[in-house]
Amino acid sequence: MQQVTTVRELPKGTTRSFTYRDRPAILIHDDDGIRAFYNICTHEGGECELVGRDLQCCLHGARFNPRTGKALSEPAPLDSKLTPIPIRVEGDAISVE
């Protein structure tokens, strides 16, 4: 397990970018908990950031559900989703395998 950050450093309503297996990734902390996805838009591979309640691709504006990773708007294929990354939260530590 590799520690990415701590719960204290990732307050609710925030995200944190990191690299996982040499690819961009994002941690999301909201009312539903903490999750991680590869941060690669399913349209043309741009990175996403939290805009309002959704993740939005910085290249062309596709939006994704931050809980499921499912595409919410084009130009991303609507049957696509961001790939989840398994995480573990133990005490204050947030780690990935």
Side-chain angles (χ1 to χ4, degrees):
M1 297 295 288
Q2 172 191 347
Q3 184 171 325
V4 177
T5 190
T6 64
V7 175
R8 199 177 26 229
E9 294 172 340
L10 185 73
K12 277 187 186 177
T14 64
T15 63
R16 182 179 190 129
S17 297
F18 67 105
T19 301
Y20 181 70
R21 297 186 177 171
D22 297 323
R23 295 167 54 194
I26 189 168
L27 278 168
I28 302 159
H29 188 181
D30 60 20
D31 290 337
D32 294 320
I34 300 171
R35 287 165 309 290
F37 297 97
Y38 281 107
N39 195 4
I40 302 169
C41 177
T42 59
H43 172 236
E44 287 191 1
E47 292 187 31
C48 300
E49 64 184 15
L50 193 62
V51 175
R53 293 181 170 226
D54 300 333
L55 290 172
Q56 182 174 336
C57 177
C58 295
L59 289 179
H60 300 112
R63 289 183 171 256
F64 296 87
N65 182 312
R67 283 175 270 149
T68 64
K70 183 176 177 348
L72 299 173
S73 70
E74 295 180 340
L78 295 178
D79 62 347
S80 68
K81 66 181 193 173
L82 302 174
T83 303
I85 297 171
I87 65 165
R88 180 178 294 165
V89 179
E90 291 183 294
D92 192 45
I94 303 171
S95 303
V96 294
E97 294 181 8

